[in-house]
Amino acid sequence: MDFISSILQDLLNTLFSFTGDLGIAIVLITLMVKLLLMPLSLKQRFAMRKQQDLVGQMSHIKEKYKNNTKELEKQLQKHSAESMKSMLGCSTLILQMPVVYALYNTFLNMTQVSSSALIPWISSLNVSDNLFIIPCIYALTMLAPNLISFIPYFKASTQIAFNKQMAITTVIMSFILTAKTPVSIGLYFITSSMYSLIEDVCFRIYVKQKNKLSIN
């Protein structure tokens, strides 16, 4: 872990020297790490979608073979095996954690005292945002993935129903998480969340187009 943190710290210093703005350097290094981990992230998204599809298929099978116990058991065993494979695909998130944690730790232990043109109302990225603008922005970026599901084009047939209580909890926890932390951490969280949102939108568009082609 220390080895990864050391590499990321050196990269951050290089980007800071090149851009002359620590905030921009943080955004760039966050995007670089996200792009590096994109294959794992996409694999996780495909696995989660497959898991959702299998849940829908399972309900259909139970209804279809409700009067045929032998065939029902056979079909359920088959789909249970497929479900286990897709769950293993979701475990790719675990493989990302060491790098993500090292990146977070790099920003948390930053020694540079610098402002950024991206956040002009803050004198140093090592302090928290007393105006709470960063926490509000982060809370909104965390809520956005739930809101785009209301756009008809992005709505999936196997989509999990919107949970208002969960959405409110997400907003509150996101605000609390960044309210007293250094702005550098908040900037990292916002960049990471925005990247995930864009990746999610692109993934949904890809799935929609793929489904259209399969139908045609």
Side-chain angles (χ1 to χ4, degrees), residues 50-51 54-55 57-58 61 64-65 69-86:
K50 186 175 181 181
Q51 184 72 19
L54 286 172
V55 170
Q57 291 174 17
M58 195 79 77
I61 288 171
K64 183 178 180 181
Y65 297 105
T69 307
K70 187 176 180 179
E71 185 63 24
L72 176 61
E73 185 178 349
K74 180 182 177 181
Q75 291 295 327
L76 289 179
Q77 287 178 352
K78 177 183 176 181
H79 279 74
S80 293
E82 289 294 323
S83 179
M84 184 60 67
K85 290 179 182 178
S86 64

Side-chain angles (χ1 to χ4, degrees), residues 12-127:
L12 179 63
N13 291 334
T14 300
L15 290 171
F16 181 39
S17 300
F18 179 74
T19 62
D21 189 305
L22 190 56
I24 294 176
I26 290 173
V27 171
L28 289 177
I29 193 174
T30 303
L31 291 176
M32 290 171 68
V33 170
K34 283 292 185 179
L35 287 171
L36 181 66
L37 296 174
M38 186 170 64
L40 291 176
S41 177
L42 289 177
K43 186 176 181 180
Q44 178 191 350
R45 288 186 184 278
F46 278 112
M48 290 178 66
R49 181 169 182 82
K50 186 175 181 181
Q51 184 72 19
Q52 291 176 4
D53 290 340
L54 286 172
V55 170
Q57 291 174 17
M58 195 79 77
S59 300
H60 175 71
I61 288 171
K62 287 180 180 179
E63 179 64 26
K64 183 178 180 181
Y65 297 105
K66 60 182 180 181
N67 297 322
N68 189 338
T69 307
K70 187 176 180 179
E71 185 63 24
L72 176 61
E73 185 178 349
K74 180 182 177 181
Q75 291 295 327
L76 289 179
Q77 287 178 352
K78 177 183 176 181
H79 279 74
S80 293
E82 289 294 323
S83 179
M84 184 60 67
K85 290 179 182 178
S86 64
M87 287 179 67
L88 290 174
C90 294
S91 66
T92 54
L93 177 64
I94 299 174
L95 299 177
Q96 302 178 47
M97 293 309 295
V99 178
V100 173
Y101 175 78
L103 185 61
Y104 173 85
N105 194 51
T106 298
F107 297 144
L108 193 62
N109 296 321
M110 258 186 352
T111 57
Q112 297 101 322
V113 178
S114 176
S115 59
S116 173
L118 297 177
I119 315 174
W121 64 92
I122 298 294
S123 59
S124 173
L125 300 184
N126 288 7
V127 300

